[in-house]
Amino acid sequence: MTKQQISLPAKLINGGIAGIVGVTCVFPIDLVKTRLQNQRQGQQIYKNMMDCLVKTVRSEGYFGMYRGAAVNLTLVTPEKAIKLAANDFFRQHLSKNEKGLTVFKEMLAGCGAGMCQVVITTPMEMLKIQLQDAGRLAAQQIKPASITATSALSATQIARELLRTQGIPGLYKGLWATLMRDVPFSMVYFPLFAHLNQLGQPSRDESAPFYWAFFSGCLAGSTAAVAVNPCDVVKTRLQSLNKGASEESYNGVVDCVSKIMRKEGPSAFLKGAGCRALVIAPLFGIAQVMYFIGIGEFILDLSPFN
């Protein structure tokens, strides 16, 4: 297959479709990840990923595993659009005379993309976590202390309540922790994928085979996900507005890190790492499938605005 340049609009369409398909497939595992990360030592309701899935289905039904999915499905397209557009922008401005980028410049481009995407990622994660964690709090038989813990509420109602009580900063709680997660993730993922994918290219002018692109996306995604999992644990704890019995609150990233280290030990920062790898790997593998098939290009060809 001849190597072709993919236009930015096609990349945005491919990224959006890949995000929607990927979220639909792996969201139950993402819900498990959130609940495992929010568990405190000595208060474990779930033993592992399978135990959490089984108990969730028993207590909340099949669709209980998709609580909060609507937020992701709504915002994943603009999130991917910003991330891909920003990465392309920075790569273009960092390259010189059409020569390949150095690893350092690839990491800088990924850093820029990660910093841009948090505009969408932070409020999306903020709303999603409240809905995902409501079942865990209900399982502890804790009466919700505020409106956001009520399982009947939607993401729209939670957003309105946050805006009414805290303003826009309420939706961006945990921003620094999100930056700490997404910036290093992009710095690891984009260069790693580029080099892994390059290993599978038959020649300089040909693209890697379909299966190799899929494998590269999965491996780079899962590696980056596990590498930044400690930051994801901190972000989840900071963005959880409602706490169970004897669950402490945190006053920022440093306070959260110190309390987790003191009370739960270093292993707490790896909670949900396996789930996160299982979520991220298919997401980026599916993205490479979309690029390989060329769905974005096909849609643009049918568009009257092409």
Side-chain angles (χ1 to χ4, degrees):
M1 180 178 177
T2 304
K3 192 175 181 180
Q4 297 178 347
Q5 291 294 327
I6 303 175
S7 66
L8 180 58
K11 283 187 175 182
L12 301 185
I13 294 172
N14 287 331
I17 295 174
I20 292 171
V21 174
V23 167
T24 304
C25 293
V26 301
F27 192 83
I29 304 176
D30 186 65
L31 180 139
V32 170
K33 180 217 54 139
T34 298
R35 294 187 178 184
L36 291 177
Q37 287 181 341
N38 264 332
Q39 285 192 143
R40 272 49 164 193
Q41 191 172 7
Q43 298 176 325
Q44 286 90 346
I45 300 174
Y46 313 110
K47 298 176 182 177
N48 49 48
M49 182 180 70
M50 288 305 301
D51 183 57
C52 184
L53 284 172
V54 170
K55 288 180 178 177
T56 299
V57 173
R58 285 178 180 173
S59 60
E60 303 170 53
Y62 174 78
F63 290 105
M65 296 189 297
Y66 283 90
R67 182 175 288 177
V71 180
N72 266 30
L73 292 172
T74 302
L75 297 178
V76 70
T77 299
E79 181 202 26
K80 295 294 182 187
I82 290 174
K83 186 171 188 172
L84 292 170
N87 186 62
D88 273 6
F89 174 82
F90 289 118
R91 287 179 70 93
Q92 181 181 354
H93 283 270
L94 288 171
S95 61
K96 292 182 180 180
N97 302 323
E98 298 184 357
K99 293 182 180 179
L101 290 172
T102 63
V103 174
F104 177 71
K105 287 186 176 181
E106 287 181 336
M107 293 177 70
L108 281 180
C111 174
M115 293 181 69
C116 291
Q117 79 172 82
V118 297
V119 175
I120 299 293
T121 304
T122 305
M124 178 180 73
E125 293 275 318
M126 183 71 182
L127 298 175
K128 182 195 71 172
I129 285 173
Q130 313 316 315
L131 296 170
Q132 285 183 328
D133 203 39
R136 183 186 69 88
L137 294 171
Q140 288 185 340
Q141 296 181 346
I142 302 300
K143 185 177 180 180
S146 70
I147 188 171
T148 54
T150 306
S151 60
L153 286 180
S154 66
T156 303
Q157 291 171 301
I158 296 173
R160 286 176 180 171
E161 178 68 9
L162 284 171
L163 288 172
R164 185 183 65 82
T165 58
Q166 303 178 36
I168 293 178
L171 290 174
Y172 283 88
K173 186 176 181 180
L175 174 63
W176 291 111
T178 306
L179 279 169
M180 287 171 55
R181 182 195 68 173
D182 289 350
V183 170
F185 178 91
S186 296
M187 291 175 68
V188 172
Y189 172 76
F190 283 112
L192 181 57
F193 169 75
H195 287 275
L196 287 174
N197 196 48
Q198 191 176 23
L199 294 175
Q201 294 177 358
S203 68
R204 188 179 182 86
D205 297 324
E206 291 183 303
S207 297
F210 158 76
Y211 64 87
W212 190 269
F214 178 79
F215 167 77
S216 299
C218 288
L219 183 58
S222 58
T223 301
V226 173
V228 301
N229 193 75
C231 299
D232 191 55
V233 172
V234 173
K235 182 197 72 65
T236 300
R237 296 282 181 94
L238 287 174
Q239 289 186 322
S240 298
L241 298 178
N242 297 283
K243 312 294 182 183
S246 305
E247 292 181 357
E248 66 282 352
S249 298
Y250 307 105
N251 297 315
V253 173
V254 176
D255 181 58
C256 182
V257 171
S258 62
K259 285 182 178 178
I260 292 174
M261 181 68 75
R262 185 174 66 254
K263 296 184 178 181
E264 302 175 58
S267 62
F269 291 106
L270 294 178
K271 286 183 176 181
C275 293
R276 182 162 166 76
L278 290 175
V279 168
I280 297 298
L283 281 176
F284 285 90
I286 291 170
Q288 298 312 316
V289 173
M290 297 301 166
Y291 293 137
F292 188 89
I293 296 175
I295 291 180
E297 295 88 327
F298 177 75
I299 293 175
L300 288 177
D301 287 340
L302 295 178
S303 172
F305 301 103
N306 184 27

